Amino acid sequence: MRIFHTPDTARHDPERYWRRGTPIPHPEQAARYAILRDAALRGGHALAAPGDHGLDPIRAVHDPDYVAFLAEAWARRAEMPGIGDEILTGAFARPQMHRKPAGLLGLAGLYMADTSTPIRAGTWPAVYGAAQCAVAAADAALASGHAYALCRPPGHHAYADSAGGFCFLNNSAVAAARMLAATGGPVAILDIDVHHGNGTQGIFYARADVLTVSVHADPSDYFPFFAGYADETGEGPGAGFNGNLPLPPGSGDAPWLAAVEAGLARVAAHAPRGLVVALGLDAAEDDPIGALRVTQAGFEAAAARIAEAGLPTALVQEGGYLCAALPRNLTAFLAAFDAAR
Ligand SMILES: [Zn+2]
């Protein structure tokens, strides 16, 4: 397995996060980079730099003005008198209020969904580097069968024009668009992160060329709350090309694997020319913010099923937070995937 990574992704280092009204250490810590990299190293995989593929693969799925905001915000920070070590707002645009303000503070509220995505000194190089890893993994998967992109921060909660849920650029969507451009499509995304891939769904919701399927905890009382329900199946030309498979909180290996297999059946019926797996590891039973109870054996079984589909496959890291099981589950997933290929 080729592993694409860059130390730049550790340059986004959020400190605080409001959870249930209390500031806590941000779960999406820079330490995740080294932990996941070392877990891949322990598996004996070949590590590689992603190269620089520029902004075009990012703009293929993201609004250019939003990308420019992310790229330029830190350099504009003097526009916010009294600013500390991050650009963050507490005022967010609602659907009823959608005018585009000129100032940086207002733009932050226009382009963010919540307070989990502060822009700090190293945020842009980190999210840009993660997106480059996704591009490189997509290319490598098409060339040689499969690859893994060590992306952090994660991406699947980022819409075409908004950050949220720790995510800025939608790495899985970037990888899928890259595969689509190279093959002519169709392609598919299978998201097994414990949280619904709402940004990915949003980006491709009206399109038939990218099938999106997400297996996740029921959003009726869990992030991202406002999307991820089973009756969201796509719209317009994309009708029938989005699938959500929500599971009750606390679900363990058997129902989770059944949902993954159902998702893979949807993928197979689409006959894609490439597959992106949004590889969150936060469905793990030990994950500090997870809501399901998937074991290492569960991840190994899912990896084998996905590998057996036989598709060019880019594994793109999504969630999975600091706990002893995080590196173990990555090492185990990659090994099981390789063994089944
Ligand atoms: Zn997640």
Side-chain angles (χ1 to χ4, degrees):
M1 179 81 69
R2 291 187 74 189
I3 309 290
F4 290 97
H5 76 110
T6 166
D8 281 349
T9 58
R11 294 173 65 182
H12 176 63
D13 53 350
E15 292 179 355
R16 296 165 298 277
Y17 175 63
W18 286 88
R19 190 168 201 231
R20 299 171 186 166
T22 302
I24 63 168
H26 201 297
E28 207 290 291
Q29 294 188 16
R32 294 179 67 243
Y33 163 70
I35 288 168
L36 295 168
R37 180 202 60 202
D38 292 349
L41 268 175
R42 273 195 297 281
H45 303 285
L47 271 63
D52 187 350
H53 307 277
L55 283 170
D56 285 349
I58 295 169
R59 293 191 182 119
V61 297
H62 284 289
D63 173 67
D65 289 346
Y66 169 63
V67 175
F69 165 77
L70 292 178
E72 298 162 7
W74 188 249
R76 292 178 56 185
R77 66 191 179 281
E79 297 175 26
M80 290 171 58
I83 184 177
D85 52 10
E86 53 192 38
I87 295 169
L88 194 59
T89 182
F92 300 96
R94 302 284 299 160
Q96 303 91 331
M97 299 193 338
H98 57 269
R99 295 293 294 271
K100 184 176 183 178
L104 192 59
L105 191 58
L107 287 174
L110 181 70
Y111 287 133
M112 291 183 190
D114 54 52
T115 58
S116 76
T117 50
I119 294 177
R120 297 168 63 92
T123 297
W124 173 250
V127 301
Y128 182 84
Q132 300 305 318
C133 290
V135 172
D139 289 350
L142 291 175
S144 60
H146 53 277
Y148 166 82
L150 200 180
C151 297
R152 86 151 286 277
H156 71 152
H157 299 307
Y159 285 77
D161 60 357
S162 71
F166 313 161
C167 302
F168 297 83
L169 295 178
N170 194 314
N171 305 307
S172 291
V174 167
R178 182 75 166 187
M179 284 184 162
L180 182 65
T183 66
V187 300
I189 300 173
L190 176 64
D191 188 324
I192 62 171
D193 187 284
V194 73
H195 303 97
H196 173 240
N198 56 318
T200 315
Q201 169 176 305
I203 288 169
F204 297 115
Y205 203 58
R207 291 172 54 167
D209 50 4
V210 180
L211 173 73
T212 46
V213 180
S214 181
V215 176
H216 51 267
D218 182 352
S220 62
D221 192 27
Y222 191 61
F223 191 86
F225 303 111
F226 315 111
Y229 298 83
D231 61 359
E232 297 160 15
T233 57
E235 66 182 10
F241 294 96
N242 185 77
N244 285 328
L245 299 164
L247 294 166
S251 292
D253 285 352
W256 187 73
L257 283 168
V260 169
E261 289 187 359
L264 283 168
R266 290 285 303 274
V267 169
H270 194 57
R273 301 178 74 176
L275 173 66
V276 174
V277 178
L279 180 57
L281 296 168
D282 46 6
E285 58 182 347
D286 301 317
D287 193 275
I289 65 172
L292 301 180
R293 300 186 58 79
V294 177
T295 68
Q296 179 178 320
F299 283 110
E300 289 168 339
R305 306 280 203 292
I306 293 166
E308 286 161 3
L311 295 165
T313 301
L315 307 171
V316 176
Q317 183 67 47
E318 295 285 356
Y321 300 96
L322 299 183
C323 63
L326 174 63
R328 284 203 306 265
N329 285 336
L330 178 62
T331 306
F333 189 99
L334 297 177
F337 189 100
D338 271 350
R341 253 335 215 314

